Amino acid sequence: MFDKSLPRITNLWSKVVDGDGGKWLSKVVIESTKPYGYSAAVSGGAVVVEGKSVRVNMPEGAIEVNDGLLREVGIKQDGNNAAVTAVLDCPAEFELSVAEGFPFRLELLLDRSFIKDLFKGKKIVIDPGHGGKDSGAAGLVGLLEKDVVLPVAVNLEKLLRKAGADVLLTRDSDRDVPAGLRMEMAVRAGAHAYIGIHTKASADAGVEGLATLYSPSDARSAVLADFVQKQLVKKMKAADGGTAVQPGLAPISGMPAVETEILAITNLVEEVFLRGLTVRKKAAEGIFNGLIKYFARTGRDQG
């Protein structure tokens, strides 16, 4: 029987926020009924916040985050102490602070500067497929591919600009843009990556999930596609359709070029998902996380 007078941790959550002085942070918030002693230290690829004389009054275990920096955050009871572990995908400096008010909130602030450094000087071309007279594929209840991929592209653009990248959209409205011009824009820009955004389409309405295609003209394309595909699957929790060569991307040379297929618009269930703002946001976050992994792997100064 534990001491009922001890503080109790009742909630654990995280979000990406803007901090003081232009900082960009991943914030982990630990809520409890009252204050308690605490400390934090780096352990391997994680930051562990140790709570002294406090009980966990919520489900123990790990919560997936995948925000590009913070992979997951977990909590467990250890005797009369509690440990919150923030597992990182990138190096990050951190600090602890206490927010005023009730409940008592202990905040772990993780600096996302490493991600900004990765994208410094990087030019990314985002190509939302179709547009104008070319509506792309259509769902069983009328959703059009061109209307899905543009919001995803805009969400991705915001994330990349926040990270400090130079971003070019091949279209930012519902207009016709020839396929050749889209690719020419990427080559002319001297981009470090080309990201085409589409939905999957098939005569078989049962086809579902995600896929990422890549250009045969640059070996780095397959590497980028693998990172993007894995991060999309993690973020969207959808069936993994893998990666494959896309011959249509062959004219793009001198940079990695991929084309994402974010769910199957011709699958009735996934068409419903594609109508939602949350899915379009998660798709952008998955692509963004894949780019983080790619540039972290290939080096900050390489394309």
Side-chain angles (χ1 to χ4, degrees):
M1 189 72 177
F2 68 87
D3 185 347
K4 292 184 179 179
S5 67
L6 291 177
R8 298 186 303 279
I9 294 175
T10 56
N11 198 13
L12 178 67
W13 53 274
S14 72
K15 67 184 298 186
V16 177
V17 299
D18 292 322
D20 295 335
K23 287 186 176 180
W24 192 30
L25 307 169
S26 290
K27 178 168 73 172
V28 178
V29 179
I30 309 165
E31 297 183 352
S32 63
T33 54
K34 53 187 176 180
Y36 55 89
Y38 56 85
S39 62
V42 175
S43 178
V47 178
V48 180
V49 180
E50 183 82 11
K52 308 294 184 182
S53 297
V54 62
R55 302 295 304 184
V56 176
N57 193 27
M58 60 173 287
E60 296 183 49
I63 303 167
E64 280 193 53
V65 178
N66 295 320
D67 70 3
L69 172 64
L70 181 61
R71 184 187 312 166
E72 67 178 37
V73 58
I75 187 168
K76 68 175 183 178
Q77 190 75 52
D78 183 11
N80 279 329
N81 300 327
V84 171
T85 302
V87 181
L88 307 181
D89 277 326
C90 304
E93 294 185 357
F94 73 90
E95 62 180 80
L96 285 174
S97 67
V98 174
E100 295 182 0
F102 180 85
F104 176 75
R105 288 189 176 96
L106 180 61
E107 298 181 345
L108 172 64
L109 304 175
L110 301 159
D111 192 338
R112 296 170 66 86
S113 293
F114 180 87
I115 295 173
K116 284 191 170 184
D117 288 344
L118 287 178
F119 285 99
K120 188 180 298 181
K122 295 294 190 298
K123 295 180 181 178
I124 312 294
V125 170
I126 306 172
D127 180 17
H130 312 287
K133 296 176 183 177
D134 176 9
S135 61
L140 298 176
V141 289
L143 183 64
L144 300 179
E145 182 176 4
K146 69 174 184 176
D147 295 329
V148 172
V149 297
L150 183 57
V152 174
V154 170
N155 287 335
L156 178 58
E157 178 193 21
K158 290 176 181 176
L159 288 169
L160 287 167
R161 290 196 186 282
K162 186 72 176 180
D166 182 7
V167 184
L168 172 64
L169 283 176
T170 60
R171 70 178 180 96
D172 56 9
S173 61
D174 184 19
R175 62 189 181 90
D176 293 292
V177 183
L181 177 58
R182 296 168 188 258
M183 299 182 191
E184 184 182 330
M185 290 168 68
V187 175
R188 278 205 315 262
H192 294 86
Y194 168 97
I195 307 290
I197 303 177
H198 291 258
T199 63
K200 187 180 289 186
S202 172
D204 180 0
V207 170
E208 61 181 9
L210 304 157
T212 305
L213 312 178
Y214 57 90
S215 169
S217 300
D218 192 308
R220 295 171 296 179
S221 298
V223 178
L224 176 57
D226 186 59
F227 282 126
V228 168
Q229 177 68 11
K230 287 177 179 176
Q231 295 304 312
L232 276 170
V233 170
K234 279 186 179 181
K235 201 71 190 178
M236 300 183 71
K237 309 297 183 188
D240 185 354
T243 65
V245 170
Q246 170 56 287
L249 293 175
I252 303 177
S253 59
M255 72 191 73
V258 302
E259 183 178 290
T260 61
E261 295 184 333
I262 47 167
L263 301 183
I265 198 169
T266 48
N267 176 282
L268 181 59
V269 174
E270 296 195 346
E271 180 186 3
V272 172
F273 288 149
L274 286 169
R275 290 181 181 275
L277 299 180
T278 298
V279 163
R280 296 175 186 187
K281 181 173 178 286
K282 286 184 179 293
E285 290 170 349
I287 297 167
F288 178 64
N289 290 350
L291 284 164
I292 292 172
K293 291 283 189 181
Y294 172 77
F295 287 124
R297 168 76 176 270
T298 59
R300 301 182 193 188
D301 299 322
Q302 298 179 24

